[in-house]
Amino acid sequence: MSSIVNKTSTTLYVLEFGSGSFYDGIRPYEDKDFSKSKDGLVKLEIKDYNIVKVRSGRIHTFLITSEGKVLGFGSNSYGQLGSGFCGQVPKEKRVSVGLSTVAGPLSELNVVEAAGGGYHSLFLTDEYRVFVCGRNENHQCGTNESDKFPTPIELDLSTKFDNCKVVAIGASNSSSCFLTMDYRIYVAGDNTNGSCGGVKTTDRPLRVLANLEIERPFKITCGYDNTVLICESGKCFGTGCNSCGQLAVEDKVHSNFSEFKHCFNQRTDIIDACSGYFGSCLQTLNGEYYYCPSIKNKDIDLAPLTSVFTQVGAKIIGCAYGDYCVWATDEVQTTKNYGDNKVGKFYRMRDNTFIDVTGEFYLPSNNVQVEISAQRDLFVIYFSDIIGDLVERQFPFIKELYSLAITTRLQDEEGDHCFGKDFFSDIFVHAQH
C-alpha cells in the first residue's frame, strides 16, 4: 500500500484564503484567522478524512477522499457545492472543520473526479456515471430541466452521451466538456466566447466533430470561457477565449475562436497543462515549465517560466494558473525564516518578477507529488504519491506500468505518444481495454 493510504487527516496549504470567497457559501475553520495567507501559504488540517484530489471552480472547491466521498467549500449561490442548498449550508449539515458534503444519490457513490466551472459543477464516478449541479441558465449542466440544481442530478449515458462511457470532465465559466472512452468530445453550454467549439446545446451535451481521435485526448483543463484538451500525442487543442493570448495559438494574435486549434505554440511534448483566468501554464516531457501570456517579452505568448523565475539551483516541481501563475520548488529552506532541514518553497508571479510566498509550506517527504488546485485567486496545495491512492485501490493491475509510462514515450501505429502524470489515473482506465 502507498504511504498515504489510511491517513485519518490531511494537511493542505492555502494561499489567498480571504473571507470574500465565502460570503454566500461555506468557509472552513470559521474561527481561524487566515489573513497571513495573503502573503504566504498557511496550513489547513482536514480532520478524519484522507484527501487524494482537490478540484476547484471559479470560487468553489471540492475535496475528494480516498473513499470516493466529496467535501466542499466556497461560493454556493447556485447550489454548485451540491449540498442540497443554495447559499449558506446549515452547520448541522456540515462535517470536519465546517465542510459541506454532496446530497442525493451521489453521496452513496464512489466519486473519482470533479470539475468546477463558474457556478456549476461536474462529478464522475468509478462506474463512469456523470452528475451535475449548480447554475444551468446556459444549459452548461447538459440539460434544460431547470435553471439550477442544488442537489446533483445524473446525466444518463444512453440519452446524453450515445451510450459512450465518460472518462474525463472539465468545466469552464458557463460551459462543460466531456471525453468518452473512444475519444469522443461532448460539450454543453451556449458557446460563450467559443468555449464549446462552435456548438450550442439545450437539452443534452452534443458531440464536437473535431477529428482529434488520432491525437487521443485524455484530460481536460478549462479557463475562463476556454476549453483545452491534453492529448497522448503531446499536443494540446483549445477553443474559446484567447483575448490575452492565453492559448498561444499564434504570437500577438489575441482573439477568441470557436474551433479546437493546436495551441501553446504547436508544441508536441506537453504532458500536463493548467488553464486559468486569462492565463495558462504547462509542463513538457523533459520537465520544463512554460506559461502564457508572457510578461517579459511582449512579442511572444508562450515563454519558459525560467525567463521570470531566475533562482539559481531551484527545480520547479509543480505549477498552476488561477488569476496568476504559482509554482513549487524543491529548494532547501535554510534561512531563519523557515528553519533548517525543511525542503520545498512556493512562489507566485507578480508584475514582471516572482515573489516567495512559502509561508508554512514544506514537503513532507521526497516521494510525494505536489498538486495545486486553483480558484481565481485562491490556491489549494496538497500532496499525492506517484502511484496515487485511488489507482492502487481501484485498479492495481496497472500499478506496475505506471512508472514506465510517465518517463518514456510509447510507440504505436500512429507514431510517438507521450503520457502525463495523470495518464493512468483512477478514471483513465480505457487505455487498458
Side-chain angles (χ1 to χ4, degrees), residues 32-319:
K32 184 172 181 177
D33 181 12
F34 284 96
S35 59
K36 291 183 178 180
S37 70
K38 292 184 62 176
D39 302 312
L41 270 62
V42 171
K43 183 184 296 187
L44 195 161
E45 295 283 350
I46 304 298
K47 299 177 181 179
D48 304 321
Y49 292 96
N50 176 25
I51 307 301
V52 295
K53 282 187 179 180
V54 182
R55 298 292 184 256
S56 296
R58 182 174 184 169
I59 43 178
H60 67 288
T61 292
F62 293 110
L63 313 176
I64 304 177
T65 75
S66 58
E67 296 180 340
K69 303 305 177 185
V70 180
L71 312 176
F73 68 83
S75 175
N76 192 41
S77 52
Y78 292 88
Q80 59 264 43
L81 291 181
S83 62
F85 300 89
C86 291
Q88 290 290 332
V89 177
K91 290 187 177 181
E92 63 269 18
K93 298 290 185 179
R94 304 187 198 180
V95 294
S96 177
V97 304
L99 297 164
S100 69
T101 59
V102 294
L106 184 63
S107 64
E108 303 298 323
L109 301 178
N110 185 12
V111 176
V112 295
E113 189 59 278
Y119 300 95
H120 73 291
S121 306
L122 316 175
F123 306 94
L124 185 64
T125 77
D126 60 347
E127 297 177 331
Y128 311 101
R129 296 170 67 177
V130 178
F131 287 77
V132 297
C133 67
R135 190 174 188 175
N136 191 45
E137 294 172 358
N138 302 107
H139 307 127
Q140 58 264 51
C141 288
T143 181
N144 60 355
E145 297 172 21
S146 176
D147 61 357
K148 61 183 175 183
F149 301 98
T151 298
I153 65 167
E154 185 171 6
L155 298 184
D156 182 71
L157 294 183
S158 62
T159 59
K160 303 290 188 180
F161 300 103
D162 305 312
N163 282 314
C164 296
K165 292 181 177 178
V166 174
V167 295
I169 53 178
S172 184
N173 191 56
S174 57
S175 64
S176 302
C177 185
F178 310 85
L179 287 176
T180 68
M181 186 175 289
D182 56 355
Y183 306 108
R184 296 187 185 195
I185 306 162
Y186 287 82
V187 295
D190 66 353
N191 195 47
T192 304
N193 289 319
S195 57
C196 292
V199 175
K200 292 185 178 182
T201 71
T202 54
D203 62 330
R204 57 159 293 176
L206 293 177
R207 185 181 179 187
V208 179
L209 299 177
N211 298 316
L212 295 180
E213 290 82 1
I214 192 173
E215 308 292 347
R216 298 184 180 180
F218 69 91
K219 184 178 179 180
I220 308 166
T221 179
C222 297
Y224 179 80
D225 283 341
N226 63 40
T227 304
V228 175
L229 306 176
I230 307 168
C231 303
E232 294 173 30
S233 61
K235 302 175 184 177
C236 286
F237 293 86
T239 183
C241 185
N242 186 46
S243 57
C244 297
Q246 60 264 46
L247 296 180
V249 173
E250 184 177 351
D251 286 337
K252 300 175 67 173
V253 178
H254 299 168
S255 57
N256 306 335
F257 47 91
S258 291
E259 61 179 316
F260 281 97
K261 294 183 179 182
H262 191 184
C263 55
F264 302 139
N265 280 9
Q266 292 74 54
R267 296 190 70 100
T268 61
D269 60 349
I270 299 171
I271 63 172
D272 204 4
C274 176
S275 293
Y277 280 74
F278 307 104
S280 304
C281 59
L282 60 89
Q283 181 186 4
T284 67
L285 188 65
N286 65 2
E288 295 178 328
Y289 288 84
Y290 288 77
Y291 78 101
C292 56
S294 169
I295 61 174
K296 283 283 190 181
N297 185 347
K298 300 299 184 180
D299 291 328
I300 61 174
D301 286 335
L302 187 69
L305 193 51
T306 51
S307 65
V308 176
F309 183 59
T310 55
Q311 197 83 338
V312 177
K315 178 183 178 183
I316 299 172
I317 56 175
C319 187

